[in-house]
Amino acid sequence: MDLGQFSVSLTVKDIAKSKAFYETLGFKAHPECGSIKDKWLILQKDSTVIGLFEGMFESNILTFNPTDVRTIEKHLKNNGVAIDTPTKGESGPTHCVLKDPDGNSIMFDQF
């Protein structure tokens, strides 16, 4: 099963301060993915991707970007995994969200 690119989505208190901090570590913002004004950004350093989100989520989220999230969702359901936010539609971009046994949120996001 191909889970796609992995990233972590961080809930932040001050997106400008968080952006500056991660840029100090060498991360660069994707200019086409959000902005300080939008209160979300996607940053990357080499193959590591971090999303910064101010006021959008209650907690951090592990994110995977597969090419077929509906197949992954079906596999998870068939193996007894509860889905908190199911996919929508039969094709095209969608996502599903679930929690691991320790309550960590995991999102499979297909775009």
Side-chain angles (χ1 to χ4, degrees):
M1 178 171 19
D2 181 13
L3 300 180
Q5 171 72 47
F6 172 77
S7 65
V8 63
S9 299
L10 301 175
T11 183
V12 300
K13 295 177 185 172
D14 183 321
I15 195 150
K17 284 183 182 178
S18 294
K19 178 180 184 275
F21 173 82
Y22 284 101
E23 285 176 335
T24 301
L25 293 175
F27 283 84
K28 299 212 182 294
H30 285 267
E32 70 281 2
C33 296
S35 68
I36 299 255
K37 181 182 172 189
D38 294 329
K39 298 203 181 270
W40 71 275
L41 295 164
I42 304 297
L43 296 98
Q44 185 164 356
K45 179 173 176 20
D46 303 323
S47 64
T48 304
V49 178
I50 297 174
L52 304 178
F53 298 88
E54 182 181 330
M56 293 185 178
F57 308 121
E58 291 182 25
S59 62
N60 300 330
I61 302 172
L62 304 175
T63 304
F64 296 91
N65 300 115
T67 55
D68 188 356
V69 76
R70 290 170 183 88
T71 297
I72 292 171
E73 179 186 46
K74 182 178 178 181
H75 171 79
L76 293 168
K77 285 181 176 179
N78 288 342
N79 285 277
V81 176
I83 305 295
D84 296 331
T85 305
T87 59
K88 294 184 178 155
E90 298 297 317
S91 64
T94 191
H95 69 277
C96 70
V97 181
L98 56 118
K99 290 197 174 38
D100 74 7
D102 295 298
N104 299 302
S105 293
I106 300 173
M107 177 167 47
F108 294 95
D109 188 18
Q110 175 184 326
F111 45 86

